[in-house]
Amino acid sequence: MFKENKRVVATDTLIGQGTIVEGKLISEANLRIEGEYRGDIECKGDIIIGECGIVRSNIEARDITLAGKLYGDIVTKGRLIITGTGQLSGSVAAHALIIQEGGQLSGQCRMEHPAESKPRSGASESSEAANPKKDELKNSESHAKSRQAG
């Protein structure tokens, strides 16, 4: 008679201070780490590693804010923010990188931007046609050559 509406609502996950977790973590929601974590993390949401957080992990997430310590590689589709207390030892692949004064990054960084639209082929032709100085230069060069020949 009554239809059950089953909604899947993503709940943020917290690994609290004084907690140690090991393993692989896959999350649809946001994640905050104030304790210690060891293992890989795949997160479709954002990750915040608090000042007390210590993470030994390779992380893939949307946006990452690092205020604690992270030992591992990061791949983010958005931006990585390393706060003044944050320390990262590992490589980074991100669209944007912000390191606040006091933040530390030891490793490699690769900035990846989304593919930009290529200009149309007609755009270069129209720019040449719209530039009369190029036409004047070509005409004056051809006149000079004809004077030398004649």
PDB file of all heavy atoms in Angstrom, residues 101-128:
ATOM      1  N   GLU A 101      51.670  29.655   3.878  1.00  0.00           N
ATOM      2  CA  GLU A 101      52.971  29.871   4.503  1.00  0.00           C
ATOM      3  C   GLU A 101      53.141  28.910   5.673  1.00  0.00           C
ATOM      4  O   GLU A 101      52.277  28.809   6.537  1.00  0.00           O
ATOM      5  CB  GLU A 101      53.086  31.316   4.991  1.00  0.00           C
ATOM      6  CG  GLU A 101      54.461  31.656   5.532  1.00  0.00           C
ATOM      7  CD  GLU A 101      54.596  33.124   5.880  1.00  0.00           C
ATOM      8  OE1 GLU A 101      53.694  33.912   5.537  1.00  0.00           O
ATOM      9  OE2 GLU A 101      55.604  33.467   6.507  1.00  0.00           O
ATOM     10  N   GLY A 102      54.252  28.178   5.670  1.00  0.00           N
ATOM     11  CA  GLY A 102      54.530  27.193   6.712  1.00  0.00           C
ATOM     12  C   GLY A 102      54.239  25.773   6.254  1.00  0.00           C
ATOM     13  O   GLY A 102      54.755  24.819   6.815  1.00  0.00           O
ATOM     14  N   GLY A 103      53.401  25.616   5.225  1.00  0.00           N
ATOM     15  CA  GLY A 103      53.095  24.291   4.687  1.00  0.00           C
ATOM     16  C   GLY A 103      54.300  23.713   3.966  1.00  0.00           C
ATOM     17  O   GLY A 103      55.119  24.446   3.422  1.00  0.00           O
ATOM     18  N   GLN A 104      54.413  22.377   3.979  1.00  0.00           N
ATOM     19  CA  GLN A 104      55.582  21.724   3.392  1.00  0.00           C
ATOM     20  C   GLN A 104      55.159  20.681   2.358  1.00  0.00           C
ATOM     21  O   GLN A 104      54.229  19.916   2.596  1.00  0.00           O
ATOM     22  CB  GLN A 104      56.408  21.028   4.471  1.00  0.00           C
ATOM     23  CG  GLN A 104      56.973  21.983   5.502  1.00  0.00           C
ATOM     24  CD  GLN A 104      57.717  21.242   6.603  1.00  0.00           C
ATOM     25  OE1 GLN A 104      57.897  20.033   6.549  1.00  0.00           O
ATOM     26  NE2 GLN A 104      58.152  21.971   7.609  1.00  0.00           N
ATOM     27  N   LEU A 105      55.884  20.675   1.237  1.00  0.00           N
ATOM     28  CA  LEU A 105      55.685  19.682   0.195  1.00  0.00           C
ATOM     29  C   LEU A 105      57.045  19.140  -0.203  1.00  0.00           C
ATOM     30  O   LEU A 105      57.907  19.883  -0.666  1.00  0.00           O
ATOM     31  CB  LEU A 105      54.996  20.292  -1.033  1.00  0.00           C
ATOM     32  CG  LEU A 105      54.938  19.433  -2.293  1.00  0.00           C
ATOM     33  CD1 LEU A 105      54.191  18.132  -2.049  1.00  0.00           C
ATOM     34  CD2 LEU A 105      54.314  20.194  -3.441  1.00  0.00           C
ATOM     35  N   SER A 106      57.256  17.842   0.039  1.00  0.00           N
ATOM     36  CA  SER A 106      58.494  17.174  -0.360  1.00  0.00           C
ATOM     37  C   SER A 106      58.117  16.101  -1.368  1.00  0.00           C
ATOM     38  O   SER A 106      57.555  15.071  -1.001  1.00  0.00           O
ATOM     39  CB  SER A 106      59.170  16.523   0.857  1.00  0.00           C
ATOM     40  OG  SER A 106      59.510  17.492   1.806  1.00  0.00           O
ATOM     41  N   GLY A 107      58.388  16.371  -2.633  1.00  0.00           N
ATOM     42  CA  GLY A 107      58.040  15.417  -3.674  1.00  0.00           C
ATOM     43  C   GLY A 107      57.824  16.114  -4.991  1.00  0.00           C
ATOM     44  O   GLY A 107      58.279  17.225  -5.200  1.00  0.00           O
ATOM     45  N   GLN A 108      57.103  15.453  -5.874  1.00  0.00           N
ATOM     46  CA  GLN A 108      56.845  15.985  -7.205  1.00  0.00           C
ATOM     47  C   GLN A 108      55.412  16.479  -7.293  1.00  0.00           C
ATOM     48  O   GLN A 108      54.527  15.968  -6.617  1.00  0.00           O
ATOM     49  CB  GLN A 108      57.057  14.910  -8.259  1.00  0.00           C
ATOM     50  CG  GLN A 108      58.472  14.394  -8.334  1.00  0.00           C
ATOM     51  CD  GLN A 108      58.596  13.297  -9.375  1.00  0.00           C
ATOM     52  OE1 GLN A 108      57.617  12.712  -9.807  1.00  0.00           O
ATOM     53  NE2 GLN A 108      59.828  13.012  -9.772  1.00  0.00           N
ATOM     54  N   CYS A 109      55.209  17.467  -8.162  1.00  0.00           N
ATOM     55  CA  CYS A 109      53.873  18.010  -8.367  1.00  0.00           C
ATOM     56  C   CYS A 109      53.619  18.127  -9.858  1.00  0.00           C
ATOM     57  O   CYS A 109      54.455  18.626 -10.603  1.00  0.00           O
ATOM     58  CB  CYS A 109      53.751  19.379  -7.702  1.00  0.00           C
ATOM     59  SG  CYS A 109      52.136  20.106  -7.921  1.00  0.00           S
ATOM     60  N   ARG A 110      52.429  17.683 -10.283  1.00  0.00           N
ATOM     61  CA  ARG A 110      52.034  17.789 -11.682  1.00  0.00           C
ATOM     62  C   ARG A 110      50.657  18.441 -11.712  1.00  0.00           C
ATOM     63  O   ARG A 110      49.716  17.952 -11.101  1.00  0.00           O
ATOM     64  CB  ARG A 110      51.984  16.392 -12.307  1.00  0.00           C
ATOM     65  CG  ARG A 110      51.680  16.407 -13.790  1.00  0.00           C
ATOM     66  CD  ARG A 110      51.744  15.002 -14.406  1.00  0.00           C
ATOM     67  NE  ARG A 110      50.642  14.184 -13.942  1.00  0.00           N
ATOM     68  CZ  ARG A 110      50.768  13.079 -13.210  1.00  0.00           C
ATOM     69  NH1 ARG A 110      51.960  12.665 -12.828  1.00  0.00           N
ATOM     70  NH2 ARG A 110      49.716  12.392 -12.837  1.00  0.00           N
ATOM     71  N   MET A 111      50.568  19.558 -12.417  1.00  0.00           N
ATOM     72  CA  MET A 111      49.300  20.274 -12.535  1.00  0.00           C
ATOM     73  C   MET A 111      48.585  19.758 -13.779  1.00  0.00           C
ATOM     74  O   MET A 111      49.147  19.777 -14.868  1.00  0.00           O
ATOM     75  CB  MET A 111      49.535  21.780 -12.655  1.00  0.00           C
ATOM     76  CG  MET A 111      50.305  22.369 -11.485  1.00  0.00           C
ATOM     77  SD  MET A 111      49.481  22.189  -9.923  1.00  0.00           S
ATOM     78  CE  MET A 111      48.144  23.316 -10.145  1.00  0.00           C
ATOM     79  N   GLU A 112      47.356  19.308 -13.606  1.00  0.00           N
ATOM     80  CA  GLU A 112      46.567  18.798 -14.712  1.00  0.00           C
ATOM     81  C   GLU A 112      45.334  19.662 -14.863  1.00  0.00           C
ATOM     82  O   GLU A 112      44.555  19.806 -13.939  1.00  0.00           O
ATOM     83  CB  GLU A 112      46.153  17.351 -14.450  1.00  0.00           C
ATOM     84  CG  GLU A 112      47.338  16.418 -14.344  1.00  0.00           C
ATOM     85  CD  GLU A 112      46.921  15.003 -14.006  1.00  0.00           C
ATOM     86  OE1 GLU A 112      45.785  14.798 -13.552  1.00  0.00           O
ATOM     87  OE2 GLU A 112      47.735  14.105 -14.206  1.00  0.00           O
ATOM     88  N   HIS A 113      45.181  20.251 -16.050  1.00  0.00           N
ATOM     89  CA  HIS A 113      44.023  21.095 -16.323  1.00  0.00           C
ATOM     90  C   HIS A 113      43.090  20.361 -17.259  1.00  0.00           C
ATOM     91  O   HIS A 113      43.536  19.598 -18.112  1.00  0.00           O
ATOM     92  CB  HIS A 113      44.454  22.424 -16.952  1.00  0.00           C
ATOM     93  CG  HIS A 113      45.262  23.256 -16.012  1.00  0.00           C
ATOM     94  ND1 HIS A 113      44.711  23.915 -14.947  1.00  0.00           N
ATOM     95  CD2 HIS A 113      46.590  23.506 -15.958  1.00  0.00           C
ATOM     96  CE1 HIS A 113      45.661  24.548 -14.291  1.00  0.00           C
ATOM     97  NE2 HIS A 113      46.813  24.313 -14.877  1.00  0.00           N
ATOM     98  N   PRO A 114      41.794  20.606 -17.150  1.00  0.00           N
ATOM     99  CA  PRO A 114      40.869  19.982 -18.086  1.00  0.00           C
ATOM    100  C   PRO A 114      41.174  20.423 -19.512  1.00  0.00           C
ATOM    101  O   PRO A 114      41.663  21.532 -19.733  1.00  0.00           O
ATOM    102  CB  PRO A 114      39.490  20.469 -17.645  1.00  0.00           C
ATOM    103  CG  PRO A 114      39.704  21.484 -16.586  1.00  0.00           C
ATOM    104  CD  PRO A 114      41.143  21.476 -16.204  1.00  0.00           C
ATOM    105  N   ALA A 115      40.885  19.575 -20.466  1.00  0.00           N
ATOM    106  CA  ALA A 115      41.164  19.882 -21.880  1.00  0.00           C
ATOM    107  C   ALA A 115      40.379  21.115 -22.309  1.00  0.00           C
ATOM    108  O   ALA A 115      39.183  21.209 -22.091  1.00  0.00           O
ATOM    109  CB  ALA A 115      40.799  18.696 -22.748  1.00  0.00           C
ATOM    110  N   GLU A 116      41.093  22.075 -22.896  1.00  0.00           N
ATOM    111  CA  GLU A 116      40.442  23.297 -23.373  1.00  0.00           C
ATOM    112  C   GLU A 116      39.971  23.083 -24.796  1.00  0.00           C
ATOM    113  O   GLU A 116      40.546  22.303 -25.550  1.00  0.00           O
ATOM    114  CB  GLU A 116      41.428  24.470 -23.318  1.00  0.00           C
ATOM    115  CG  GLU A 116      41.843  24.815 -21.902  1.00  0.00           C
ATOM    116  CD  GLU A 116      42.844  25.970 -21.878  1.00  0.00           C
ATOM    117  OE1 GLU A 116      42.902  26.713 -22.875  1.00  0.00           O
ATOM    118  OE2 GLU A 116      43.535  26.099 -20.880  1.00  0.00           O
ATOM    119  N   SER A 117      38.941  23.809 -25.184  1.00  0.00           N
ATOM    120  CA  SER A 117      38.438  23.679 -26.553  1.00  0.00           C
ATOM    121  C   SER A 117      39.452  24.281 -27.525  1.00  0.00           C
ATOM    122  O   SER A 117      40.029  25.324 -27.276  1.00  0.00           O
ATOM    123  CB  SER A 117      37.082  24.371 -26.686  1.00  0.00           C
ATOM    124  OG  SER A 117      37.216  25.736 -26.384  1.00  0.00           O
ATOM    125  N   LYS A 118      39.653  23.578 -28.613  1.00  0.00           N
ATOM    126  CA  LYS A 118      40.624  24.036 -29.611  1.00  0.00           C
ATOM    127  C   LYS A 118      39.988  25.125 -30.460  1.00  0.00           C
ATOM    128  O   LYS A 118      38.812  25.054 -30.792  1.00  0.00           O
ATOM    129  CB  LYS A 118      41.048  22.868 -30.504  1.00  0.00           C
ATOM    130  CG  LYS A 118      41.816  21.815 -29.751  1.00  0.00           C
ATOM    131  CD  LYS A 118      42.206  20.702 -30.686  1.00  0.00           C
ATOM    132  CE  LYS A 118      42.938  19.611 -29.924  1.00  0.00           C
ATOM    133  NZ  LYS A 118      43.305  18.500 -30.771  1.00  0.00           N
ATOM    134  N   PRO A 119      40.773  26.144 -30.875  1.00  0.00           N
ATOM    135  CA  PRO A 119      40.212  27.186 -31.737  1.00  0.00           C
ATOM    136  C   PRO A 119      39.851  26.600 -33.101  1.00  0.00           C
ATOM    137  O   PRO A 119      40.523  25.708 -33.598  1.00  0.00           O
ATOM    138  CB  PRO A 119      41.320  28.230 -31.847  1.00  0.00           C
ATOM    139  CG  PRO A 119      42.567  27.529 -31.441  1.00  0.00           C
ATOM    140  CD  PRO A 119      42.157  26.409 -30.532  1.00  0.00           C
ATOM    141  N   ARG A 120      38.812  27.124 -33.674  1.00  0.00           N
ATOM    142  CA  ARG A 120      38.387  26.644 -34.996  1.00  0.00           C
ATOM    143  C   ARG A 120      39.416  27.031 -36.047  1.00  0.00           C
ATOM    144  O   ARG A 120      40.082  28.045 -35.950  1.00  0.00           O
ATOM    145  CB  ARG A 120      37.030  27.237 -35.351  1.00  0.00           C
ATOM    146  CG  ARG A 120      35.932  26.649 -34.475  1.00  0.00           C
ATOM    147  CD  ARG A 120      34.622  27.265 -34.808  1.00  0.00           C
ATOM    148  NE  ARG A 120      34.605  28.608 -34.223  1.00  0.00           N
ATOM    149  CZ  ARG A 120      33.782  29.571 -34.579  1.00  0.00           C
ATOM    150  NH1 ARG A 120      32.914  29.384 -35.523  1.00  0.00           N
ATOM    151  NH2 ARG A 120      33.825  30.740 -33.990  1.00  0.00           N
ATOM    152  N   SER A 121      39.512  26.248 -37.106  1.00  0.00           N
ATOM    153  CA  SER A 121      40.507  26.522 -38.160  1.00  0.00           C
ATOM    154  C   SER A 121      40.211  27.839 -38.865  1.00  0.00           C
ATOM    155  O   SER A 121      41.116  28.501 -39.325  1.00  0.00           O
ATOM    156  CB  SER A 121      40.548  25.371 -39.162  1.00  0.00           C
ATOM    157  OG  SER A 121      39.272  25.231 -39.773  1.00  0.00           O
ATOM    158  N   GLY A 122      38.962  28.236 -38.923  1.00  0.00           N
ATOM    159  CA  GLY A 122      38.602  29.498 -39.564  1.00  0.00           C
ATOM    160  C   GLY A 122      39.054  30.698 -38.766  1.00  0.00           C
ATOM    161  O   GLY A 122      39.171  31.798 -39.290  1.00  0.00           O
ATOM    162  N   ALA A 123      39.342  30.509 -37.486  1.00  0.00           N
ATOM    163  CA  ALA A 123      39.739  31.630 -36.635  1.00  0.00           C
ATOM    164  C   ALA A 123      41.073  32.215 -37.076  1.00  0.00           C
ATOM    165  O   ALA A 123      41.259  33.418 -37.085  1.00  0.00           O
ATOM    166  CB  ALA A 123      39.816  31.177 -35.178  1.00  0.00           C
ATOM    167  N   SER A 124      42.032  31.353 -37.470  1.00  0.00           N
ATOM    168  CA  SER A 124      43.330  31.875 -37.895  1.00  0.00           C
ATOM    169  C   SER A 124      43.212  32.609 -39.220  1.00  0.00           C
ATOM    170  O   SER A 124      43.889  33.590 -39.449  1.00  0.00           O
ATOM    171  CB  SER A 124      44.350  30.745 -37.978  1.00  0.00           C
ATOM    172  OG  SER A 124      43.931  29.797 -38.950  1.00  0.00           O
ATOM    173  N   GLU A 125      42.340  32.108 -40.093  1.00  0.00           N
ATOM    174  CA  GLU A 125      42.166  32.786 -41.381  1.00  0.00           C
ATOM    175  C   GLU A 125      41.518  34.148 -41.184  1.00  0.00           C
ATOM    176  O   GLU A 125      41.922  35.122 -41.798  1.00  0.00           O
ATOM    177  CB  GLU A 125      41.286  31.937 -42.299  1.00  0.00           C
ATOM    178  CG  GLU A 125      41.926  30.625 -42.698  1.00  0.00           C
ATOM    179  CD  GLU A 125      40.946  29.707 -43.401  1.00  0.00           C
ATOM    180  OE1 GLU A 125      39.802  30.113 -43.638  1.00  0.00           O
ATOM    181  OE2 GLU A 125      41.348  28.571 -43.708  1.00  0.00           O
ATOM    182  N   SER A 126      40.548  34.222 -40.299  1.00  0.00           N
ATOM    183  CA  SER A 126      39.872  35.502 -40.105  1.00  0.00           C
ATOM    184  C   SER A 126      40.784  36.508 -39.423  1.00  0.00           C
ATOM    185  O   SER A 126      40.690  37.691 -39.680  1.00  0.00           O
ATOM    186  CB  SER A 126      38.587  35.311 -39.286  1.00  0.00           C
ATOM    187  OG  SER A 126      38.910  34.838 -38.001  1.00  0.00           O
ATOM    188  N   SER A 127      41.712  36.013 -38.592  1.00  0.00           N
ATOM    189  CA  SER A 127      42.622  36.963 -37.941  1.00  0.00           C
ATOM    190  C   SER A 127      43.592  37.564 -38.949  1.00  0.00           C
ATOM    191  O   SER A 127      43.968  38.717 -38.843  1.00  0.00           O
ATOM    192  CB  SER A 127      43.382  36.287 -36.792  1.00  0.00           C
ATOM    193  OG  SER A 127      44.235  35.285 -37.300  1.00  0.00           O
ATOM    194  N   GLU A 128      43.993  36.764 -39.938  1.00  0.00           N
ATOM    195  CA  GLU A 128      44.881  37.313 -40.969  1.00  0.00           C
ATOM    196  C   GLU A 128      44.139  38.318 -41.834  1.00  0.00           C
ATOM    197  O   GLU A 128      44.682  39.345 -42.210  1.00  0.00           O
ATOM    198  CB  GLU A 128      45.430  36.176 -41.842  1.00  0.00           C
ATOM    199  CG  GLU A 128      46.490  35.353 -41.154  1.00  0.00           C
ATOM    200  CD  GLU A 128      47.013  34.254 -42.056  1.00  0.00           C
ATOM    201  OE1 GLU A 128      46.775  34.298 -43.280  1.00  0.00           O
ATOM    202  OE2 GLU A 128      47.666  33.349 -41.526  1.00  0.00           O
TER     203      GLU A 128
END
